[in-house]
């Protein structure tokens, strides 16, 4: 087992292993200290940060669905300044790549948040959450319009030299298009998928189950859809990929690597199995050694079709 | 560290009227548990249902490997339904202890009321044991729809005075349990009333009513709130509730609660749809 | 219970109740005679028909996923002529609306199949499956390009006066667009959703699990996504809707009606609960009477938001 | 009508080496069941796993409400794993009887071989009972990886001759069970050999090998094929297999099979990935 090399290189970003926790499902990291040693993880993506603190949506905010969950948290977060002052320093003692997930309602907001993050001590990279409604464009998601997306990524690219990850929305006809646009804008890495737009209805109450009416679907239910999208993006572009969507164990992670991902992110799984991400690191090494794979990166795109 | 792992079900006793007592072989959880703290439990195989369900710990018992934790639960949906179908020997996935416990009264001589509505009885056997040990003399006020729903009274340590209320009048006071609380507080002199302490657990409307009673009598109290919980340890941000004087944000019931001091919940803003 | 009026009118198509079985999951109907009385159903959509018989894809063709299944059957079917000669007459004794689902690789194929179906005795309507790859356009799905879709629907509209249902693909950025296009082309009714494109990977074998590599995801996993799309299409267009995606019981059906559907289709559920569609008719009536709903159509769009 | 509904598990006996015998209180299913027919079974709550799993009926027994159906199953994945965890009293959802049975030999005097590989033993206790009743004298040739995997031999009616083979040589013939079949057929005179009948059930490679042996000896036989099945009654079109001489289509294992006459499968085209 010790023989397996788990390190992965995603362009400018090197991770000690390919297991990264996903934004919005891992708090600001330290919430998980009672369950695992953060230093075992390849990386941590923190909760989406906006320019100012946000209180989020009114509850109910989540709903359980068959093998999945809908959420409409509304990006409740402490804001970028509190993150830099309080949350990021608390992660300095840990040997893991800390990635900031960034949210904006307008292009300028993304740029401003990234300007503040650029050069922050202990920050390994920035992930742009482009599944946000663009208030200047009538609420359309940044991530679904390739031109808008390329412009946004280029604008952010100008203000930061940190590794730049663009997290793609799956709510599109062909995910290859935003993938190419993000790369054209200057993305170093693509991560996918964010949640699928969905809705739950309470038949008894004849009401949407979420106060926000619509929410994002995550969890094992979406795994086949996410795997397909990773496979497709891997064929469409040449940059490294972080794959995610319903990963619950090391075998699921291997599937994403085989589909073309260089690393994976663990989301919903953290809620029900808070120590799970760390377990997966060990299990992945074990899986590799059992299959005589010396370097985990050999798995990437290793699908025999 | 908080325990997260698999534990064995040692006993799953039918208490009647869809209520059960589950005894779990979970010494790592039980040893540091406090009253009103809870565990997240997943029962059954597969990913449907996906998320854990919160349960208060009703009792700490003796078990083959140290202490056991004992849960009283009522079958209301899928998760509780699956749990009710398990036999001794089944494995459950458990995370805990979680949440803020009920703080014990500083002065054991004050009147202490345990106000339970329905399955809100769950945390009180454990709390009672701790209160007795601290020299308090708690009185249980226990309300339910009907007398058959008044389960678990035999799980309390001896020496707890009990009064019951039923909506349909089939047992004890015909009416709400909060009316019993109101009466008891009203019977106290002002100074005693202001030092009296109530611990409340039950459905949300009953807790709002109890909170109003406590405010009217200027009595002290702690409420243990309910919410659908995605994680139980503060990261999914699903279990939020607005507090009085905190207009710009929310508390998380799972980590800031489930116990909150009486008077702290902004009931007006918290009404869910 | 007998007091509940279950009839629904979807433009030119009247159904005795809103429970219809979905194409590809109910064979040619009579396969279910050992499990239920076909006359209890509001309607039956038969397996997708092409101009000539098709043998379908090589196996493996299906794969189970968390709360769902992937399929890549490849539209194995007897062809429209055998359908008219053998399958349709066998359904004449039953008091249910028989709907033909039509598949084509080019616009002309759709038109030719529909020409033959038009006027067939015992046929209540045609449903166009537009999730088919257009071989003339390099394999792009008809259903994802609004212009191509409108043209296709208009071409079919010219050759048949039967009630025309267009079944929308969910693999689009905004399902409102193809919905409007289908209506502009002359669709009487929209049905949605067809399956979501997905993929499964066998980590041990390092292979896609389906011979066809990609497949369509159906079942409870997609229910929240399908509900959202029905809700969205109901807001976008004014024609009646048949909603589907993961319906397993009468409460699920009520949710789709509340979201804006006038009728529902039952797909994957038929595989695991072959008598289930008939049970749902009774359960739906019971649900309505318990909720003091005299006419099931009151539920359509009855969501309190 | 084919039964589709919920039945009770009466017994779930551990046969060792991950094999179990499940006894189901399913008189509606059992009364018209024939050997090699199967049932689709869903165990557990929720929609994950979603689809039923096919199991042959191994025996028809006596039960409280008429006949029971008895399944021998091996834990290989999620569905079988969940089933193994169930206790008597649990409810299972069952559809059946499904599929085409093994046809009995017209002449009871011909040599009859039952060729089982691993859990392919499942349909043979039931078939043996029917063969004995028809006056046949079947001989069971039973192969498995190791002698511990040779389960269920005590489920056969008395009077069945048995020979075993193990891959690791830990019991009986060291090698494949198809080698036993080959030997037996080779020992027969040509006319008897051509009238001999073999019933084969086991993993796909073993069935292809048996089919080749039967072809070589010009003996008759029926194979009961395996496939992942989405429905079990012919509508999902998942369980397809190409037949010899049928270049433009497929047979469905669930309704056209699971039993097929020897020589009818196009093994060349059927190789799955
Ligand atoms: C701190 C705490 C302690 C508790 N202690 C106990 C205890 O000791 N014993 C006990 O019996 N119960 C206890 N509960 C309540 C218990 O957690 C619930 O009864 C349980 O989660 C029900 O699960 P279920 O799967 O059976 O029901 P579900 O199938 O989840 O449904 C039950 C109800 O919840 C609603 N619901 C389902 N999902 C959601 C969602 N995402 N958002 C909002 N509503 C939803 C449903 O509509 C339904 O009305 C406690 C709750 C909390 C918060
Ligand atoms: C007619 C018939 C009769 C049978 N009778 C018996 C019997 O009597 N006793 C018995 O033990 N078994 C019997 N089987 C086999 C039995 O059905 C399987 O072992 C069972 O389905 C396994 O279910 P599982 O959920 O435990 O395994 P799964 O978790 O489903 O996986 C088991 C294996 O199947 C593969 N698999 C899973 N899903 C698919 C898919 N969609 N497509 C292709 N491969 C997949 C997995 O990769 C794995 O290798 C029979 C099969 C047939 C067709
Ligand atoms: C409760 C919740 C909150 C989330 N918040 C964010 C967020 O702030 N920013 C973001 O980019 N993604 C967010 N996500 C999406 C996840 O990071 C991830 O992309 C998605 O959940 C799919 O992965 P999973 O199926 O493993 O959960 C959130 C997901 C959940 C469930
Ligand atoms: C095995 C299978 C075959 C299908 N074949 C067709 C088809 O021929 N034509 C079509 O329009 N839809 C087809 N569908 C899609 C279903 O009709 C339905 O739109 C989809 O499965 C979603 O509903 P469900 O979740 O209830 O299954 C098929 C679905 C499955 C599972
Ligand atoms: S339950 Fe997840 S934050 Fe409270
Ligand atoms: S299993 Fe569905 S057609 Fe055979």
């Amino acid at each position: 087992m010790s023989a397996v090399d788990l390190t992965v290189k995603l362009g400018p970003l090197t991770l000690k292993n390919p297991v990264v926790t996903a934004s919005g499902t891992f708090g600001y990291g330290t919430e998980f200290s009672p369950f695992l040693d953060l230093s075992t993880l390849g990386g941590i993506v923190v909760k989406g940060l906006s320019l100012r603190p946000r209180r989020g949506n009114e509850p109910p905010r989540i709903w359980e669905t068959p093998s999945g969950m809908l959420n409409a948290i509304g990006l409740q977060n402490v804001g970028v300044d509190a993150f830099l002052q309080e949350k990021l320093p608390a992660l300095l003692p840990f040997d893991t790549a800390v990635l900031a997930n960034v949210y904006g309602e307008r292009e300028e907001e993304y740029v401003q948040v990234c300007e503040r993050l650029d050069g922050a001590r202990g920050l390994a990279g920035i992930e742009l959450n482009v599944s946000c409604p663009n208030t200047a464009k009538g609420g359309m998601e940044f991530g679904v319009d390739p031109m808008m997306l390329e412009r946004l990524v280029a604008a952010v690219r100008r203000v930061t030299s940190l590794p730049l990850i663009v997290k793609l929305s799956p709510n599109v006809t062909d995910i290859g298009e935003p993938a190419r646009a993000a790369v054209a804008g200057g993305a170093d890495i693509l991560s996918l998928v964010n949640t699928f737009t969905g809705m739950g209805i309470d038949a008894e109450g004849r009401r949407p189950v979420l106060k926000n009416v619509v929410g994002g679907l995550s969890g094992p239910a979406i795994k086949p859809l996410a795997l397909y999208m990773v496979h497709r993006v891997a064929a469409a572009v040449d940059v490294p990929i972080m794959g995610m969507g319903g990963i619950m164990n090391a075998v699921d992670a291997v599937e994403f690597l085989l589909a073309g991902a260089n690393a994976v992110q663990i989301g919903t799984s953290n809620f029900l199995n808070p120590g799970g991400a760390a377990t997966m690191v060990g299990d992945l090494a074990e899986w590799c050694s059992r299959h005589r794979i010396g370097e985990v990166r050999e798995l990437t795109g290793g699908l025999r079709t | 560290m908080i325990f997260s792992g698999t534990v064995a079900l040692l006993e799953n006793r039918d208490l009647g009227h869809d209520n059960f007592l589950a005894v779990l072989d979970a010494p790592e959880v039980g040893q540091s548990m406090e009253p009103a703290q809870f565990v997240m439990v997943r029962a059954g195989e597969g990913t449907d249902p996906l998320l854990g369900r919160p349960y208060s710990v009703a009792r700490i018992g003796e078990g083959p490997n140290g202490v056991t934790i004992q849960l009283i639960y009522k079958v209301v949906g899928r998760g509780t339904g699956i749990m009710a179908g398990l036999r001794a020997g089944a494995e459950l996935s458990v995370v805990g202890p979680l949440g803020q416990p009920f703080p014990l009264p500083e002065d054991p001589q004050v009147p202490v009321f345990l106000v339970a509505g329905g399955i809100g009885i769950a945390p009180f056997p454990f709390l009672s044991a701790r209160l007795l040990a601290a020299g308090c003399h708690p009185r249980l006020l226990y309300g339910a729809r009907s007398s058959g729903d008044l389960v678990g009274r035999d799980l309390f340590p001896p020496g707890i005075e009990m009064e019951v209320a039923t909506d349909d009048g089939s047992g004890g006071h015909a009416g709400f349990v909060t009316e019993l609380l109101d009466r008891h507080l009203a019977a106290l002199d002002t100074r005693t009333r202001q030092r009296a302490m109530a611990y409340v657990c039950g459905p949300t409307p009953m807790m709002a009513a109890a909170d109003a009673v406590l405010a009217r009598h200027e009595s002290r109290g702690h409420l243990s709130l309910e919410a659908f919980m995605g994680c139980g340890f503060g990261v999914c941000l699903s279990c939020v509730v607005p507090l009085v004087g905190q207009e710009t944000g929310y508390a998380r019931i799972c980590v800031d609660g489930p116990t909150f001091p009486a008077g702290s919940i902004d009931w007006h803003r918290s009404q869910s749809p």
Side-chain angles (χ1 to χ4, degrees), chain A, chain B:
Chain A
M1 241 191 75
S2 56
V4 181
D5 179 0
L6 289 181
T7 57
V8 288
K9 218 175 135 3
L10 291 87
L13 181 70
T14 301
L15 303 176
K16 62 201 272 191
N17 68 60
V19 180
V20 176
T21 53
S23 180
T25 68
F26 209 70
Y28 300 102
T30 49
E31 293 91 330
F32 280 80
S33 285
F35 301 109
L36 51 75
D37 175 0
L38 297 175
S39 296
T40 54
L41 300 174
I44 293 172
V45 187
V46 300
K47 177 75 192 147
L49 300 167
S50 50
L51 194 56
R52 293 185 215 303
R54 289 174 61 100
R55 67 183 299 224
N57 292 330
E58 277 183 58
R61 292 172 165 190
I62 73 166
W63 183 256
E64 197 181 48
T65 70
S67 297
M69 61 175 278
L70 285 168
N71 90 79
I73 305 302
L75 287 139
Q76 175 177 333
N77 79 97
V78 298
V80 64
D81 294 333
F83 170 72
L84 289 170
Q85 279 148 41
E86 295 155 29
K87 306 295 183 183
L88 185 56
L91 292 169
L92 280 176
F94 300 103
D95 176 24
T96 190
V98 178
L99 304 163
N101 180 276
V102 171
Y103 165 90
E105 290 185 346
R106 284 156 298 114
E107 192 180 293
E108 307 84 80
E109 188 176 348
Y110 279 101
V111 170
Q112 286 170 320
V113 175
C114 293
E115 268 173 344
R116 292 187 201 203
L117 291 171
D118 186 59
R121 176 144 174 262
L123 194 64
I126 292 177
E127 178 178 69
L128 297 186
N129 174 2
V130 297
S131 297
C132 312
N134 181 344
T135 49
K137 289 263 165 109
M140 187 191 193
E141 274 185 36
F142 282 94
V144 303
D145 176 342
M147 259 155 37
M148 193 157 86
L149 180 61
E150 179 176 339
R151 222 186 93 134
L152 172 71
V153 176
V156 167
R157 179 75 292 177
R158 279 190 288 275
V159 301
T160 180
S161 54
L162 280 168
L164 184 60
I165 307 164
V166 175
K167 182 167 180 180
L168 301 177
S169 165
N171 300 302
V172 293
T173 305
D174 172 8
I175 197 156
E177 290 188 19
R180 280 185 289 265
V183 172
D188 296 310
I189 301 166
L190 299 179
S191 63
L192 63 151
V193 296
N194 213 316
T195 55
F196 286 77
T197 307
M199 180 173 179
I201 289 177
D202 167 14
E204 287 299 316
R206 296 200 214 170
R207 271 186 304 248
V209 294
L210 299 176
K211 188 76 178 186
N212 191 51
V213 183
V214 303
L217 186 68
S218 65
I222 68 168
K223 197 184 77 167
L225 310 182
L227 270 177
Y228 165 69
M229 289 189 170
V230 167
H231 178 69
R232 193 154 172 90
V233 168
V237 298
D238 239 357
V239 300
I241 293 171
M242 291 185 168
M244 82 195 88
I247 298 177
M248 303 293 280
N249 54 51
V251 177
D252 291 338
V254 169
E255 293 172 18
F256 275 86
L257 299 177
L258 290 171
N262 304 73
V264 295
Q265 290 189 19
I266 316 301
T268 303
S269 170
N270 296 310
F271 296 158
L272 45 130
N273 185 8
T279 313
M280 283 183 227
V281 176
D283 290 351
L284 187 59
E286 209 254 304
W287 196 96
C288 288
S289 90
R290 189 151 36 86
H291 291 80
R292 307 185 174 284
I293 288 165
E295 301 172 339
V296 74
R297 56 186 169 273
E298 290 171 39
L299 289 173
T300 296
L303 204 61
R304 306 180 186 129
T305 43
Chain B
M1 300 294 273
I2 302 174
F3 177 82
S4 171
T6 298
V7 307
L9 179 66
L10 297 174
E11 193 191 334
N12 204 7
R13 193 193 311 166
D14 192 337
L15 301 178
H17 286 246
D18 282 334
N19 296 281
F20 291 81
L21 177 78
V23 180
L24 309 185
D25 183 16
E28 302 93 330
V29 184
Q31 70 200 4
S32 62
M33 200 98 198
E34 300 285 335
Q37 284 194 304
F38 64 94
V39 287
M40 294 293 286
V41 178
R42 289 184 73 219
E45 315 248 349
T47 56
D48 176 46
L50 180 65
L51 303 168
R53 304 288 191 250
Y55 300 98
S56 311
V57 169
R59 284 213 301 200
I60 302 289
E62 295 300 310
N65 301 306
V67 296
T68 62
I69 59 173
Q70 309 191 350
L71 318 177
I72 313 176
Y73 64 95
K74 186 182 174 70
V75 175
V76 298
R78 307 256 322 284
T80 46
I82 292 173
M83 204 144 92
L86 299 177
R87 314 293 165 98
E91 305 257 276
L92 297 168
S93 125
V94 169
V95 179
L98 300 167
Q100 305 302 324
F102 277 136
L104 301 189
E106 288 122 49
D107 177 358
Q109 296 315 315
V110 303
V112 173
F113 300 99
L114 313 181
V115 189
I119 193 64
I121 192 74
F124 290 126
F126 187 16
L127 177 64
S128 297
R130 287 291 166 92
L131 286 168
L132 289 178
C136 301
H137 304 287
R139 173 183 289 269
L140 173 68
L141 312 178
Y142 185 6
R145 200 159 298 177
S146 187
S147 63
D149 300 312
L150 293 163
V151 298
R153 282 175 287 178
D154 53 324
L155 302 174
F156 279 78
I160 304 290
E161 288 176 89
M162 300 190 186
E163 266 168 83
V164 302
T166 52
D167 298 358
D168 67 0
S170 57
H173 170 68
F176 294 139
V177 67
T178 46
E179 293 158 9
L180 289 181
L181 175 66
D182 192 19
R183 259 193 232 165
H184 275 285
L185 292 174
L188 300 174
D189 63 77
T190 311
R191 207 185 101 82
T192 314
R193 183 161 56 206
Q194 288 175 350
R195 300 179 65 227
M197 176 71 101
Y199 297 96
V200 187
C201 186
T204 304
M206 173 264 198
M207 288 209 270
D211 206 17
V213 169
L214 292 172
R216 197 160 60 242
H217 293 294
E218 296 175 50
S219 304
R220 302 164 63 201
H222 294 275
L223 317 176
S224 180
L225 261 56
E226 284 239 324
F228 187 91
M229 291 185 173
C231 68
F233 48 89
V235 296
C236 75
L237 306 179
S238 67
C239 63
V240 293
V241 63
L243 300 187
V244 168
Q246 186 205 34
E247 264 66 50
T248 58
Y250 293 102
R252 289 161 298 178
I253 293 179
C254 65
V255 285
D256 303 321
T259 63
F260 291 91
S264 59
I265 306 299
D266 185 341
W267 295 109
H268 182 71
R269 271 175 58 218
S270 83
Q271 57 205 3
S272 34

